[in-house]
Amino acid sequence: EVQLVESGGGLVQAGGSLRPSCAASGFTFDDAAIGWFRQAPGKEREGVSCISNSDGSTYYADSVKGRFTISSDNAKNTVYLQMNSLKPEDTAVYYCAAAPRVLCLYITQDNEYDYWGQGTQVTVSS
C-alpha cells in the first residue's frame, strides 16, 4: 500500500521558518519525483516545488524561490521542505505527491502525480 504522510506544519509568525516533511512508503522512492503543493481557502492548488530523487534536480515556483528549499533523504524515504522567511500569503494546506519513475522536468500537470498525501496545515500570522 502506498502512503505519503505529511507532518511538520504549524503556526508561525511572519519571517519565521517551518520544515514540513513527507514520509513515503509502498513504491520505489529512489526513482520518483516528489512534489510539494499548497492550497489556500478559495484558491486553486499551486505547485510549490519538486525534487527528482534519481538525479537530485529541483524546481521551485517563483513565489518561493530563494525562501524554500526541497531536499530528500533516500535512506529515510522522506522529503523535506525547508520554508524560511515565511509570509502570511504562504498560509495554506501543504500536500506532497509522488510520481514514480519520472523526473520533475517531464511533469507538466498535477494529474501526472500518482499518489497524494493528506496534507499539513501551515499558518503564517502577520
Side-chain angles (χ1 to χ4, degrees):
E1 178 189 7
V2 172
Q3 282 193 316
L4 293 172
V5 180
E6 300 97 333
S7 61
L11 173 63
V12 66
Q13 288 188 332
S17 299
L18 285 172
R19 193 181 77 149
S21 60
C22 171
S25 61
F27 63 94
T28 303
F29 185 80
D30 292 357
D31 67 4
I34 308 294
W36 279 99
F37 294 80
R38 65 187 181 185
Q39 188 165 23
K43 294 189 176 181
E44 291 189 355
R45 186 169 61 197
E46 174 190 17
V48 174
S49 184
C50 182
I51 186 166
S52 302
N53 283 336
S54 58
D55 67 2
S57 57
T58 58
Y59 296 86
Y60 298 93
D62 288 343
S63 57
V64 306
K65 275 181 185 175
R67 300 188 298 122
F68 290 11
T69 303
I70 192 170
S71 62
S72 183
D73 185 336
N74 284 14
K76 295 183 178 180
N77 281 15
T78 299
V79 171
Y80 304 94
L81 187 68
Q82 179 67 46
M83 306 190 298
N84 298 329
S85 302
L86 282 162
K87 305 174 181 179
E89 52 263 43
D90 293 318
T91 295
V93 178
Y94 283 70
Y95 301 90
C96 65
R101 301 178 301 280
V102 175
L103 294 174
C104 297
L105 174 66
Y106 300 116
I107 296 175
T108 58
Q109 299 183 57
D110 295 0
N111 62 12
E112 293 179 56
Y113 287 90
D114 294 321
Y115 310 111
W116 291 79
Q118 83 290 348
T120 186
Q121 177 70 46
V122 170
T123 303
V124 184
S125 63
S126 57

